[in-house]
Amino acid sequence: MMKPTPADTDARQAILDRINTKQVDIPPLPDVDVDRVIEFDQPIDTFIEMLAMVGGQAHQVDSQRDVRALLEEIDVFRTATRIVSLAPDSVAGTIDATQIDDPHDLATVDWTIARGEFMVAENGSIWIDGNSLPHRVLLFIAQYLAIVVPRSQIVSNMHQAYERIENFSARFGVFVSGPSKTADIEQSLVLGAHGCRKLQVFIVGDL
Amino acid sequence: MLPIIQHPAAAKEFVNDPNRSRWHDQALWFVRSKRDKQAASLPEWEYLRETASGIKTHTIANLSHYLQEFERNATARGAIVHWARDAEHHNEIVLRILQDHKTHRIVKSKSMLTEECGLNHYLEDNGIDVVDTDLGERIVQLRGETPSHIVLPAIHIKKEEVGDTFHTHLGTDEGASDPKYLAEAARGHLRDKFLAGEIGITGVNFAIAETGGLVVCTNEGNADLGTSLPRVHIACMGIEKLLPRQRDLGVFTRLLARSATGQPITSYTSHFNGPRDENSELHIVLVDNGRSRLRESETFRAAMHCIRCGACMNTCPVYRRSGGHSYRATVPGPIGSVLSPTRDQNSYKSLPYACSLCGSCSDVCPVKIPLHHQLLAWRGELVGKKLLPVSKRLAMRFASYLFRFPALFRMVGKVGRFTLRVLPRWATHHRLNTWTIARELPEAPKETFRDWHRRHRDH
């Protein structure tokens, strides 16, 4: 392996000195008062509504076994041959990503079935802990993405979300909200920019 | 030395094409309306703005402390932290990393900082192939242009023009202009680039002192694809991007996308804590490039709060009608008109005047930068430095003299009203008087306010 380029800190002291020569009164760091932010009575309903708004689709199922049956109703799943599943109790994959060294080898994956830690009602996003992914790229390189998430794991807003991940130790974590999308051509929304073309979220009762 | 930018001259071509100007105005107003809807959906919106502003004020005041804390924690997580004094130094640092890895192909996700530093040209001049992977950025890159908006880089380009560009560069069907078809073509084209990329460069939306981590927000997922395939990730950030604690992200991730595009959150809000694994590298380049100097100014310090959401541009009546390129700056619009003169007063002296002082930018700013107050303050500074054209300076001096002598003011008013009535049109509307090119003179009132007031004050 190549030796990494060492840190260039030549300008470090000059920048810090420049900042330090101008002393500014430091006001206290404000904290968010949780009583002043929005909470939802039916957070699951709000989540489903918000996810639809950002282009994703939610499915409520009682058990992990129901996930596969619902996926089978989707054409692009029935015809898929290369499936990586990180939720094997829901869907059995056809590729074992843990046996793959180079993420480039995942370029032709049709579907990734990922595991979500919890949902955020206010924006329809799902937190995925990097430790659940043998390769980060699985979330972004697959043509289609499904996320399996426990029904009991939901928060109303982002403040509660960050409370939950206060001590997350993984090298990577991501809030996923809807499929990859772009509106860079005349503000026309197109789903499936570089990442997944569609997002299916399975809210599972027994997980 | 930069050329001096005269905004009115630079905007002329855009403004003189009323169809395009109107179309551009409407496209941005559409985004602004989406933002309003999102803001109204949260009862705590104003509270969030206040809190965000408070967090930023605290952080910028205490910047040296948080920068060092960030460096310590990022290094502990295995990242390599570089410090760049200016744009050139930043570019040198990036190039050295690429050369050490014998890299020729870069995949880049959107970063206004690297635009500010002119990184693409610098790397291309050094024989490196840079591919911008955000669709809007790729479009402007293929066209040899620069972004005209910090969030919507290709907002000034029509779909037919994108079709032409893609036909030339990507071989799409001639005359095709369906956004879905064009985006699909770009997806295929860029996927090859992602797979061939040797190093991924990204910007940074937020850096967290407490954890040493970085947050990057995209809708396309290009930052994630660009950094999940290669072994090396270079993240470039201005030193003002810091937040003290991870939980502060609760405030900023709620404000950013809602203010920018009217979405509740971006499709991907990615948290990078150190390099991907033991065999990978994460380089973080902290860039000053004038920011520590901006911090010294009591008047303009709050401009460092900016989270680059672009809301001020979307709402600005001048920006919407004159197009982003008329500012001739990496960051256009109200915030750009505040930031650019801090870099070079003489070159950008006309930008604080590209403003109607309507105050809408300050109203929508999620971090409460008093933008229109700052633009007005800039005008005060520039006048004091005699950077205005003589014609404006003389007119102002004459006006100030006039207002000091009520009798003279009355007399000039009388002469003016009379002249307005009798002056033939050819005397005012000719090519020497540029002011009247697109204007009619007002009709002289029958009575002055002074006379009216005198008649009515006893009633």
Side-chain angles (χ1 to χ4, degrees):
Chain A
M1 191 184 145
M2 224 170 294
K3 210 167 144 270
T5 309
D8 184 331
T9 53
D10 291 353
R12 181 180 188 278
Q13 204 51 49
I15 294 172
L16 291 175
D17 285 349
R18 177 128 217 167
I19 295 169
N20 287 331
T21 46
K22 178 72 186 181
Q23 292 295 330
V24 181
D25 284 343
I26 301 169
L29 179 57
D31 258 314
V32 173
D33 176 359
V34 288
D35 294 335
R36 291 185 65 176
V37 299
I38 203 160
E39 288 245 19
F40 302 101
D41 297 334
Q42 305 289 336
I44 293 275
D45 293 348
T46 308
F47 173 83
I48 292 172
E49 195 185 307
M50 295 309 289
L51 183 70
M53 211 180 93
V54 297
Q57 282 172 295
H59 312 270
Q60 294 206 65
V61 293
D62 290 330
S63 127
Q64 283 205 73
R65 285 192 306 275
D66 304 330
V67 172
R68 172 130 207 152
L70 278 169
L71 278 171
E72 289 289 353
E73 288 173 19
I74 302 171
D75 284 347
V76 286
F77 184 82
R78 268 201 311 275
T79 56
T81 53
R82 297 174 62 83
I83 301 168
V84 174
S85 178
L86 309 172
D89 291 340
S90 299
V91 179
T94 62
I95 300 170
D96 183 357
T98 58
Q99 298 304 308
I100 286 173
D101 280 337
D102 182 354
H104 289 83
D105 295 343
L106 296 160
T108 56
V109 168
D110 298 313
W111 278 79
T112 292
I113 319 292
R115 278 186 293 123
E117 302 297 315
F118 64 89
M119 301 166 273
V120 186
E122 70 158 306
N123 53 31
S125 70
I126 302 132
W127 173 253
I128 295 180
D129 187 316
N131 282 342
S132 72
L133 304 165
H135 291 283
R136 255 184 222 178
V137 81
L138 282 168
L139 287 183
F140 312 103
I141 206 161
Q143 296 290 329
Y144 297 92
L145 179 64
I147 302 175
V148 180
V149 61
R151 186 177 301 159
S152 58
Q153 302 303 308
I154 185 155
V155 296
S156 275
N157 57 57
M158 291 304 283
H159 310 291
Q160 294 165 346
Y162 278 103
E163 227 166 85
R164 282 203 55 160
I165 55 174
E166 182 82 51
N167 299 311
F168 104 97
S169 59
R171 290 166 180 271
F172 181 73
V174 57
F175 287 102
V176 176
S177 166
S180 159
K181 53 175 124 7
T182 181
D184 275 343
I185 302 174
E186 276 201 23
Q187 286 299 295
S188 308
L189 184 67
V190 180
L191 301 185
H194 308 293
C196 63
R197 297 167 181 277
K198 293 259 173 67
L199 171 68
Q200 308 290 340
V201 178
F202 294 91
I203 305 169
V204 185
D206 71 352
L207 200 68
Chain B
M1 188 66 186
L2 289 162
I4 295 171
I5 287 83
Q6 290 298 347
H7 182 266
K12 199 167 176 181
E13 195 193 331
F14 199 86
V15 179
N16 280 349
D17 184 348
N19 285 332
R20 184 178 284 269
S21 183
R22 198 170 307 127
W23 166 80
H24 190 258
D25 174 30
Q26 282 164 357
L28 286 156
W29 189 254
F30 170 66
V31 184
R32 152 81 209 258
S33 309
K34 284 201 294 175
R35 172 253 167 230
D36 287 354
K37 229 172 125 190
Q38 282 294 329
S41 73
L42 290 183
E44 66 265 33
W45 184 256
E46 289 306 313
Y47 175 59
L48 286 178
R49 289 178 71 211
E50 273 161 44
T51 311
S53 172
I55 293 171
K56 276 292 183 184
T57 307
H58 169 90
T59 315
I60 301 299
N62 213 5
L63 193 58
S64 150
H65 166 79
Y66 286 124
L67 279 170
Q68 292 172 79
E69 184 184 353
F70 173 76
E71 180 189 40
R72 205 163 50 242
N73 290 324
T75 308
R77 289 202 185 248
I80 299 165
V81 180
H82 307 264
W83 298 67
R85 76 184 71 85
D86 54 22
E88 202 185 345
H89 191 191
H90 159 266
N91 293 347
E92 286 163 13
I93 290 172
V94 174
L95 180 65
R96 191 167 329 116
I97 301 168
L98 305 185
Q99 286 173 340
D100 282 355
H101 288 84
K102 303 189 169 44
T103 305
H104 299 286
R105 288 187 301 271
I106 300 300
V107 275
K108 217 169 123 256
S109 81
K110 197 162 78 197
S111 150
M112 292 323 290
L113 178 77
T114 61
E115 292 282 346
E116 173 187 320
C117 295
L119 180 69
N120 282 19
H121 286 302
Y122 179 85
L123 293 182
E124 281 155 13
D125 289 347
N126 282 281
I128 286 163
D129 182 26
V130 184
V131 176
D132 271 316
T133 56
D134 171 86
L135 178 56
E137 288 254 311
R138 186 64 180 152
I139 292 168
V140 296
Q141 190 186 30
L142 289 174
R143 293 170 65 87
E145 295 182 18
T146 53
S148 72
H149 187 289
I150 59 173
V151 174
L152 316 159
I155 188 80
H156 61 291
I157 300 170
K158 297 197 173 186
K159 55 180 194 266
E160 291 76 17
E161 295 164 330
V162 177
D164 288 346
T165 306
F166 280 13
H167 172 64
T168 309
H169 295 275
L170 312 185
T172 52
D173 296 341
E174 194 166 3
S177 65
D178 174 34
K180 214 172 158 187
Y181 167 79
L182 295 173
E184 182 66 32
R187 178 184 171 99
H189 158 74
L190 285 165
R191 197 155 265 243
D192 291 342
K193 301 290 181 187
F194 280 122
L195 288 166
E198 296 165 327
I199 287 186
I201 299 182
T202 70
V204 170
N205 288 97
F206 308 104
I208 299 99
E210 172 189 62
T211 65
L214 309 171
V215 174
V216 181
C217 307
T218 72
N219 279 321
E220 298 180 10
N222 53 321
D224 299 287
L225 260 180
T227 58
S228 306
L229 289 165
R231 259 190 345 96
V232 182
H233 173 188
I234 305 174
C236 304
M237 60 176 273
I239 53 175
E240 83 285 10
K241 291 277 170 169
L242 275 180
L243 295 177
R245 307 162 300 193
Q246 185 163 271
R247 79 181 97 137
D248 299 324
L249 287 166
V251 177
F252 288 89
T253 53
R254 299 186 80 194
L255 288 167
L256 180 66
R258 285 187 173 97
S259 299
T261 54
Q263 295 170 256
I265 191 170
T266 48
S267 301
Y268 303 101
T269 305
S270 301
H271 300 58
F272 299 93
N273 291 334
R276 192 169 72 213
D277 51 50
E278 301 74 39
N279 299 316
S280 303
E281 291 170 35
L282 170 62
H283 292 268
I284 302 169
V285 190
L286 299 171
V287 183
D288 182 346
N289 203 29
R291 286 164 175 77
S292 57
R293 203 175 58 228
L294 176 61
R295 184 181 167 280
E296 289 169 17
S297 160
E298 301 285 343
T299 316
F300 301 115
R301 185 179 306 130
M304 289 179 84
H305 294 185
C306 180
I307 56 173
R308 303 290 191 266
C309 71
C312 60
M313 292 158 210
N314 302 343
T315 202
C316 175
V318 177
Y319 175 92
R320 292 203 315 266
R321 286 164 186 83
S322 63
H325 286 150
S326 63
Y327 295 79
R328 301 279 195 270
T330 307
V331 181
I335 182 67
S337 299
V338 169
L339 293 175
S340 301
T342 64
R343 281 186 204 300
D344 181 348
Q345 285 187 11
N346 196 37
S347 295
Y348 294 106
K349 64 191 174 192
S350 80
L351 294 188
Y353 295 87
C355 164
S356 65
L357 293 179
C358 74
S360 183
C361 48
S362 307
D363 286 343
V364 297
C365 177
V367 285
K368 295 194 114 174
I369 304 171
L371 285 159
H372 73 290
H373 292 284
Q374 294 191 341
L375 288 167
L376 185 61
W378 256 129
R379 295 186 191 183
E381 288 217 2
L382 294 168
V383 166
K385 295 211 162 105
K386 299 217 158 90
L387 285 172
L388 283 184
V390 179
S391 59
K392 270 203 178 111
R393 252 163 44 214
L394 279 182
M396 287 297 165
R397 197 181 300 166
F398 176 67
S400 107
Y401 187 78
L402 199 61
F403 292 141
R404 256 178 284 160
F405 302 99
L408 180 68
F409 179 78
R410 276 201 297 281
M411 195 199 59
V412 171
K414 207 170 188 176
V415 172
R417 282 190 300 283
F418 175 75
T419 320
L420 270 179
R421 274 183 216 117
V422 298
L423 212 59
R425 194 184 151 84
W426 58 260
T428 52
H429 288 70
H430 51 77
R431 63 189 172 82
L432 290 179
N433 189 1
T434 52
W435 195 83
T436 49
I437 283 173
R439 291 178 175 95
E440 289 305 318
L441 292 174
E443 243 175 71
K446 288 201 176 65
E447 185 182 27
T448 66
F449 173 75
R450 194 185 147 81
D451 294 339
W452 179 90
H453 186 252
R454 188 173 287 160
R455 273 200 300 119
H456 284 80
R457 72 176 160 192
D458 298 331
H459 295 290

